[in-house]
Amino acid sequence: MITEIGEDIFRAKQFLDTDELVAIPTETVYGLAANALKIEAVSKIYLAKNRPSFNPLILHVGSKVELKKYVQSIPNKMERLIDTFMPGPLTILLPKSNLVPDIVTAGSSKVAIRIPNNQLTLDLLNQLDYPLAAPSANISGFTSPTSAKHVLDSLEGKIPYILNGGNCQIGIESTIVGYDDMTHRVILYRLGGLSIESIEACIGEAMETKLQHSSPETPGQLKNHYATTTPMYLGDLNQLIQQFDGKRIVVIRFSDEIQIPVWKQYVLSKSKNTIEAAQNLFSTLREADNQSADVILAEYVPEEELGLAINDRLRRASLNNDG
Ligand code: TXA
Ligand code: MG
């Protein structure tokens, strides 16, 4: 199959209307989209990504009116989050309506749903009479794509069209939250492109956190996601550099360059900004992985704003992760 890249939403629509896959730009990462209401179309996503069938997909819609069709009801706190942050890097998990096929939720009675903040994809969604199911457009277990080129690198020949929306503005996947009907609290399931601080400021209280890497509710949170091909280690750089003395080392730092000579070094944000660091994270991981090095050594970024989500992804990409 030939993989076309373009900016033509009508071309994208043609493929989607005939149950084919299209990679779509979002503000977080590129998604691998199919008509969410067609089982044959959705099953192609699992096949192309080599994704386990128990790992559910996020539903993407173009508006709040559309969103309401696919959930049963929306608690007040969740409504506030929707009004404040959608479109944006937030996914909410709520009981699904009957319109959502089981293949999308991998059999769960809850659906994860979001409105992506990318004009091209919003225009596309508003031309369709169905929502899109879309996981990140990478082969399962590898780094999420933040440009059309990244998508091509891993899915060329497997999908007919990549809708090119340039580089992703946020650069890290959406934050996933749910709601506990008994306690009436908002639950954080996945750290992502919307900070905890912003969410808690909006709802006026702390969230409950359920970030288990393999909880039944978010089975996709497996430990070794985001793996680089080059072995990667995370921690104190001075120590790690000593440990791998004599090896060809690539270093990923948060802000300042390290003075010890290494093969290659990347800085995520010269201005020490976690938003900028998130934007650069996945493209840096890919570039670092392409340097034919023996190891990639990375340091933690500060645990504030998007720093928590960045550290989560670094931990999953590294071999010395602690779970
Ligand atoms: O930013 C994003 O969320 C990107 C863009 C493309 O929208 N999508 C994304 O999808 O990151 P994916 O499939 O790579 O990650 C979705 C996560 C997985 O961990 C999956 O298990 C979880 O969301 N998830 C999806 N539907 C769920 C459901 N019904 N119940 C529990 N977890 C769900
Ligand atoms: Mg993913």
Side-chain angles (χ1 to χ4, degrees), residues 49 51 136 138 144 173 225:
K49 266 190 72 110
R51 186 178 177 102
S136 50
N138 50 281
S144 299
E173 299 88 342
H225 234 75

Side-chain angles (χ1 to χ4, degrees), residues 28 51 55-56 58 60 110 114 135-136 174 176 190 217 220:
T28 58
R51 186 178 177 102
N55 193 359
I58 295 176
H60 293 65
K110 290 183 182 170
R114 83 180 199 94
S136 50
S174 60
I176 304 182
R190 178 174 74 179
E217 277 176 295

Side-chain angles (χ1 to χ4, degrees), residues 35-54:
N35 179 347
L37 305 184
K38 290 284 258 316
I39 293 170
E40 310 88 86
V42 177
S43 62
K44 288 183 184 171
I45 296 178
Y46 286 93
L47 204 68
K49 266 190 72 110
N50 195 14
R51 186 178 177 102
S53 61
F54 59 77

Side-chain angles (χ1 to χ4, degrees), residues 18-304:
T18 53
D19 299 340
E20 295 293 339
L21 303 183
V22 171
I24 55 166
T26 85
E27 81 284 27
T28 58
V29 301
Y30 275 72
L32 182 58
N35 179 347
L37 305 184
K38 290 284 258 316
I39 293 170
E40 310 88 86
V42 177
S43 62
K44 288 183 184 171
I45 296 178
Y46 286 93
L47 204 68
K49 266 190 72 110
N50 195 14
R51 186 178 177 102
S53 61
F54 59 77
N55 193 359
L57 309 175
I58 295 176
L59 204 67
H60 293 65
V61 293
S63 68
K64 290 167 198 166
V65 174
E66 282 295 304
L67 184 147
K68 289 185 175 150
K69 290 187 191 167
Y70 302 104
V71 298
Q72 284 185 17
S73 62
I74 303 177
N76 285 338
K77 284 177 199 167
M78 298 299 262
E79 184 102 47
R80 211 177 310 153
L81 289 174
I82 293 170
D83 288 339
T84 310
F85 298 117
M86 289 193 187
L90 176 70
T91 294
I92 55 170
L93 187 66
L94 287 174
K96 75 179 189 75
S97 76
N98 289 335
L99 295 174
V100 183
D102 282 338
I103 187 171
V104 172
T105 64
S108 167
S109 61
K110 290 183 182 170
V111 64
I113 188 164
R114 83 180 199 94
I115 307 176
N117 191 14
N118 173 286
Q119 202 50 55
L120 210 52
T121 289
L122 284 172
D123 291 346
L124 170 65
L125 283 164
N126 291 324
Q127 296 290 328
L128 304 175
D129 50 16
Y130 46 84
L132 292 173
S136 50
N138 50 281
I139 303 290
S140 218
F142 291 90
T143 312
S144 299
T146 54
S147 71
K149 168 78 168 54
H150 292 168
V151 179
L152 192 71
D153 285 345
S154 62
L155 293 173
E156 182 161 22
K158 290 188 163 185
I159 59 173
Y161 199 69
I162 300 171
L163 188 61
N164 188 356
N167 292 337
C168 300
Q169 289 301 302
I170 304 281
I172 200 162
E173 299 88 342
S174 60
T175 303
I176 304 182
V177 299
Y179 184 77
D180 186 329
D181 282 319
M182 308 294 277
T183 62
H184 303 290
R185 288 182 68 191
V186 175
I187 307 165
L188 175 68
Y189 287 110
R190 178 174 74 179
L191 292 160
L194 184 64
S195 72
I196 295 178
E197 291 93 327
S198 310
I199 296 173
E200 293 185 341
C202 170
I203 55 176
E205 62 186 32
M207 283 185 283
E208 198 181 320
T209 301
K210 286 196 184 168
L211 297 175
Q212 296 96 322
H213 286 178
S214 56
S215 84
E217 277 176 295
T218 46
Q221 302 288 70
L222 300 176
K223 200 166 123 186
N224 273 100
H225 234 75
Y226 309 100
T228 46
T229 312
T230 313
M232 173 163 148
Y233 294 85
L234 182 63
D236 180 87
L237 285 178
N238 288 306
Q239 264 180 28
L240 286 169
I241 288 170
Q242 269 186 9
Q243 187 182 333
F244 291 98
D245 191 28
K247 301 272 184 206
R248 185 184 279 201
I249 295 173
V250 170
V251 159
I252 300 177
R253 296 215 74 192
F254 174 52
S255 55
D256 310 305
E257 300 220 338
I258 200 161
Q259 295 312 324
I260 306 168
V262 290
W263 173 251
K264 183 110 198 183
Q265 108 168 261
Y266 297 95
V267 170
L268 292 175
S269 172
K270 287 209 170 80
S271 57
K272 301 186 186 339
N273 177 334
T274 59
I275 296 175
E276 186 186 23
Q279 270 172 7
N280 292 329
L281 180 68
F282 290 146
S283 53
T284 302
L285 281 177
R286 277 171 191 259
E287 249 191 82
D289 207 8
N290 289 336
Q291 301 305 315
S292 314
D294 296 319
V295 281
I296 301 168
L297 306 180
E299 67 177 355
Y300 287 101
V301 310
E303 290 267 306
E304 59 190 30

